Amino acid sequence: MKTVFSYRGSDMAMFRRDYGEIVRREFYDGDLGADETEYLDFTFQKALDYPMGLLRVFSRTGISYRRNLSHIRRNKVGVRVIWFVKHGTLKIVRSNQSCTAGAGECAILDSNAPFHARAIVGDEGIFEAVQAVVPAHLFLTHLPSALEFASSFKISPEDRQVVVKLLDLLFDEGDHLSRSASEYLVHAFLETVSEYISQVSDGQIQRLKVVEKRLADIQNYISRNLTNPDLSYDEVAAKCGISPRYLCHLLKANNTSFSHLMWSQRLPKARDWLASGPLHDYPIHEIAFMAGFKSAAHFSRMFKSTYGYTPKEFRMLNHDAIQVEMSDQPID
């Protein structure tokens, strides 16, 4: 984590000017405000640039930021900011709805909609929050249910543990992570937030039905044991604490089958391995076994039926495409 901006002093004009420039650079254009005070103590830190920004704000003074239609017309940026308030209160006023997020709560800002956001210090005399700056394409991919979400929300203790651990990991190791590692962690973080928001309606948690919970347990167990060629109907039922008969009822109720749940996960996994550069010379029959198939012939039939190519044809097509792409790269 690096400190992007820090100010301790009493020159309010300098603070507004310098921090205002930082906000415009890291987020979007707008007007910065701050409560009148004799002494400012403010720190702005950054832990991640890619594939989203991750920042922390700490202030002993109330600050605000206003973005109107003029700012948006001059400076169109497609980001959403997810605020995680740790101390103090964040108040957001929009044209259609306002919300207040206290300590332990979250709120979402849309850069392309006018707003006035105000950070208010709490009883401890501080405001502290973490901000995830999510590009539009990532937000649309992982949080489509939150596109029109304008309320504050509090993540359940179970999900909160995952979110906090992922945030802590990204903050502590963000500067040292590779791009691929950052992507995996950020996608996991956004999916966790998305799953929670998708269950929120009018501020109330919509509890999953028992049938949906059971089906989720089944799918998760299959995913964890996908490469086991002996994975059976009876084993899954027993490990999920239900009878084979009830498992049959669950699958029928959801218009699916046990074999579909397995093949719909095994085939994409095998396809990804066939397309993987490091595994290009790995025998196809070994990839079949790795994906949980008992025979290469069965794997080949299923693969061609699903994708229109045999595993060998698919691998060659992918290899040729990579070679063409590499040949098109400029030579330094």
Side-chain angles (χ1 to χ4, degrees), residues 118-133:
R118 185 166 177 242
I120 305 166
V121 298
D123 294 337
E124 309 95 327
I126 62 173
F127 174 83
E128 183 180 4
V130 170
Q131 301 164 80
V133 185

PDB file of all heavy atoms in Angstrom, residues 118-133:
ATOM      1  N   ARG A 118     -21.039  13.118   1.221  1.00  0.00           N
ATOM      2  CA  ARG A 118     -20.456  13.812   2.374  1.00  0.00           C
ATOM      3  C   ARG A 118     -19.985  12.795   3.405  1.00  0.00           C
ATOM      4  O   ARG A 118     -20.753  11.924   3.837  1.00  0.00           O
ATOM      5  CB  ARG A 118     -21.486  14.751   3.007  1.00  0.00           C
ATOM      6  CG  ARG A 118     -20.912  15.587   4.141  1.00  0.00           C
ATOM      7  CD  ARG A 118     -21.825  16.720   4.526  1.00  0.00           C
ATOM      8  NE  ARG A 118     -21.280  17.452   5.658  1.00  0.00           N
ATOM      9  CZ  ARG A 118     -21.877  17.567   6.851  1.00  0.00           C
ATOM     10  NH1 ARG A 118     -23.060  17.014   7.042  1.00  0.00           N
ATOM     11  NH2 ARG A 118     -21.302  18.243   7.823  1.00  0.00           N
ATOM     12  N   ALA A 119     -18.706  12.868   3.757  1.00  0.00           N
ATOM     13  CA  ALA A 119     -18.124  12.005   4.783  1.00  0.00           C
ATOM     14  C   ALA A 119     -18.145  12.755   6.113  1.00  0.00           C
ATOM     15  O   ALA A 119     -17.606  13.858   6.220  1.00  0.00           O
ATOM     16  CB  ALA A 119     -16.692  11.640   4.409  1.00  0.00           C
ATOM     17  N   ILE A 120     -18.766  12.140   7.116  1.00  0.00           N
ATOM     18  CA  ILE A 120     -18.961  12.784   8.416  1.00  0.00           C
ATOM     19  C   ILE A 120     -18.187  11.999   9.475  1.00  0.00           C
ATOM     20  O   ILE A 120     -18.314  10.767   9.554  1.00  0.00           O
ATOM     21  CB  ILE A 120     -20.457  12.820   8.785  1.00  0.00           C
ATOM     22  CG1 ILE A 120     -21.258  13.507   7.661  1.00  0.00           C
ATOM     23  CG2 ILE A 120     -20.682  13.530  10.107  1.00  0.00           C
ATOM     24  CD1 ILE A 120     -22.754  13.306   7.762  1.00  0.00           C
ATOM     25  N   VAL A 121     -17.398  12.689  10.269  1.00  0.00           N
ATOM     26  CA  VAL A 121     -16.634  12.002  11.315  1.00  0.00           C
ATOM     27  C   VAL A 121     -17.594  11.463  12.369  1.00  0.00           C
ATOM     28  O   VAL A 121     -18.651  12.038  12.638  1.00  0.00           O
ATOM     29  CB  VAL A 121     -15.585  12.935  11.965  1.00  0.00           C
ATOM     30  CG1 VAL A 121     -14.578  13.400  10.929  1.00  0.00           C
ATOM     31  CG2 VAL A 121     -16.262  14.126  12.634  1.00  0.00           C
ATOM     32  N   GLY A 122     -17.211  10.343  12.975  1.00  0.00           N
ATOM     33  CA  GLY A 122     -18.048   9.709  13.981  1.00  0.00           C
ATOM     34  C   GLY A 122     -17.692  10.145  15.385  1.00  0.00           C
ATOM     35  O   GLY A 122     -16.945  11.107  15.600  1.00  0.00           O
ATOM     36  N   ASP A 123     -18.218   9.406  16.370  1.00  0.00           N
ATOM     37  CA  ASP A 123     -17.981   9.758  17.772  1.00  0.00           C
ATOM     38  C   ASP A 123     -16.502   9.667  18.136  1.00  0.00           C
ATOM     39  O   ASP A 123     -16.043  10.338  19.067  1.00  0.00           O
ATOM     40  CB  ASP A 123     -18.795   8.816  18.678  1.00  0.00           C
ATOM     41  CG  ASP A 123     -20.297   9.024  18.508  1.00  0.00           C
ATOM     42  OD1 ASP A 123     -20.688  10.120  18.062  1.00  0.00           O
ATOM     43  OD2 ASP A 123     -21.064   8.083  18.815  1.00  0.00           O
ATOM     44  N   GLU A 124     -15.766   8.819  17.403  1.00  0.00           N
ATOM     45  CA  GLU A 124     -14.330   8.695  17.682  1.00  0.00           C
ATOM     46  C   GLU A 124     -13.531   9.868  17.120  1.00  0.00           C
ATOM     47  O   GLU A 124     -12.319   9.970  17.315  1.00  0.00           O
ATOM     48  CB  GLU A 124     -13.773   7.400  17.076  1.00  0.00           C
ATOM     49  CG  GLU A 124     -14.554   6.149  17.418  1.00  0.00           C
ATOM     50  CD  GLU A 124     -15.570   5.815  16.330  1.00  0.00           C
ATOM     51  OE1 GLU A 124     -16.108   6.764  15.702  1.00  0.00           O
ATOM     52  OE2 GLU A 124     -15.817   4.620  16.124  1.00  0.00           O
ATOM     53  N   GLY A 125     -14.220  10.739  16.370  1.00  0.00           N
ATOM     54  CA  GLY A 125     -13.544  11.900  15.788  1.00  0.00           C
ATOM     55  C   GLY A 125     -12.841  11.600  14.489  1.00  0.00           C
ATOM     56  O   GLY A 125     -11.994  12.384  14.043  1.00  0.00           O
ATOM     57  N   ILE A 126     -13.192  10.480  13.825  1.00  0.00           N
ATOM     58  CA  ILE A 126     -12.551  10.142  12.552  1.00  0.00           C
ATOM     59  C   ILE A 126     -13.583   9.627  11.550  1.00  0.00           C
ATOM     60  O   ILE A 126     -14.670   9.162  11.926  1.00  0.00           O
ATOM     61  CB  ILE A 126     -11.447   9.056  12.710  1.00  0.00           C
ATOM     62  CG1 ILE A 126     -12.049   7.752  13.239  1.00  0.00           C
ATOM     63  CG2 ILE A 126     -10.324   9.555  13.587  1.00  0.00           C
ATOM     64  CD1 ILE A 126     -11.061   6.600  13.254  1.00  0.00           C
ATOM     65  N   PHE A 127     -13.228   9.752  10.287  1.00  0.00           N
ATOM     66  CA  PHE A 127     -13.945   9.069   9.221  1.00  0.00           C
ATOM     67  C   PHE A 127     -12.934   8.184   8.516  1.00  0.00           C
ATOM     68  O   PHE A 127     -11.840   8.629   8.152  1.00  0.00           O
ATOM     69  CB  PHE A 127     -14.545  10.059   8.204  1.00  0.00           C
ATOM     70  CG  PHE A 127     -15.163   9.371   7.017  1.00  0.00           C
ATOM     71  CD1 PHE A 127     -16.456   8.875   7.083  1.00  0.00           C
ATOM     72  CD2 PHE A 127     -14.443   9.194   5.846  1.00  0.00           C
ATOM     73  CE1 PHE A 127     -17.026   8.212   6.002  1.00  0.00           C
ATOM     74  CE2 PHE A 127     -15.004   8.537   4.755  1.00  0.00           C
ATOM     75  CZ  PHE A 127     -16.303   8.049   4.832  1.00  0.00           C
ATOM     76  N   GLU A 128     -13.303   6.917   8.334  1.00  0.00           N
ATOM     77  CA  GLU A 128     -12.416   5.990   7.641  1.00  0.00           C
ATOM     78  C   GLU A 128     -13.256   5.089   6.735  1.00  0.00           C
ATOM     79  O   GLU A 128     -14.304   4.581   7.144  1.00  0.00           O
ATOM     80  CB  GLU A 128     -11.633   5.133   8.626  1.00  0.00           C
ATOM     81  CG  GLU A 128     -10.638   4.192   7.943  1.00  0.00           C
ATOM     82  CD  GLU A 128      -9.864   3.342   8.932  1.00  0.00           C
ATOM     83  OE1 GLU A 128     -10.146   3.423  10.151  1.00  0.00           O
ATOM     84  OE2 GLU A 128      -8.988   2.577   8.469  1.00  0.00           O
ATOM     85  N   ALA A 129     -12.806   4.935   5.499  1.00  0.00           N
ATOM     86  CA  ALA A 129     -13.540   4.097   4.558  1.00  0.00           C
ATOM     87  C   ALA A 129     -12.594   3.540   3.507  1.00  0.00           C
ATOM     88  O   ALA A 129     -11.551   4.124   3.205  1.00  0.00           O
ATOM     89  CB  ALA A 129     -14.656   4.892   3.875  1.00  0.00           C
ATOM     90  N   VAL A 130     -12.983   2.402   2.965  1.00  0.00           N
ATOM     91  CA  VAL A 130     -12.277   1.794   1.838  1.00  0.00           C
ATOM     92  C   VAL A 130     -13.158   1.957   0.609  1.00  0.00           C
ATOM     93  O   VAL A 130     -14.377   1.814   0.682  1.00  0.00           O
ATOM     94  CB  VAL A 130     -12.008   0.294   2.097  1.00  0.00           C
ATOM     95  CG1 VAL A 130     -11.499  -0.389   0.834  1.00  0.00           C
ATOM     96  CG2 VAL A 130     -11.008   0.132   3.229  1.00  0.00           C
ATOM     97  N   GLN A 131     -12.532   2.281  -0.527  1.00  0.00           N
ATOM     98  CA  GLN A 131     -13.274   2.476  -1.769  1.00  0.00           C
ATOM     99  C   GLN A 131     -12.743   1.544  -2.844  1.00  0.00           C
ATOM    100  O   GLN A 131     -11.540   1.524  -3.101  1.00  0.00           O
ATOM    101  CB  GLN A 131     -13.127   3.919  -2.257  1.00  0.00           C
ATOM    102  CG  GLN A 131     -13.627   4.959  -1.266  1.00  0.00           C
ATOM    103  CD  GLN A 131     -13.102   6.332  -1.637  1.00  0.00           C
ATOM    104  OE1 GLN A 131     -13.649   6.982  -2.522  1.00  0.00           O
ATOM    105  NE2 GLN A 131     -12.056   6.772  -0.979  1.00  0.00           N
ATOM    106  N   ALA A 132     -13.649   0.793  -3.431  1.00  0.00           N
ATOM    107  CA  ALA A 132     -13.304  -0.053  -4.582  1.00  0.00           C
ATOM    108  C   ALA A 132     -13.802   0.670  -5.826  1.00  0.00           C
ATOM    109  O   ALA A 132     -15.008   0.872  -5.988  1.00  0.00           O
ATOM    110  CB  ALA A 132     -13.947  -1.423  -4.465  1.00  0.00           C
ATOM    111  N   VAL A 133     -12.882   1.088  -6.692  1.00  0.00           N
ATOM    112  CA  VAL A 133     -13.233   1.820  -7.912  1.00  0.00           C
ATOM    113  C   VAL A 133     -13.298   0.798  -9.043  1.00  0.00           C
ATOM    114  O   VAL A 133     -12.276   0.338  -9.546  1.00  0.00           O
ATOM    115  CB  VAL A 133     -12.190   2.916  -8.219  1.00  0.00           C
ATOM    116  CG1 VAL A 133     -12.645   3.748  -9.417  1.00  0.00           C
ATOM    117  CG2 VAL A 133     -11.981   3.803  -7.006  1.00  0.00           C
TER     118      VAL A 133
END
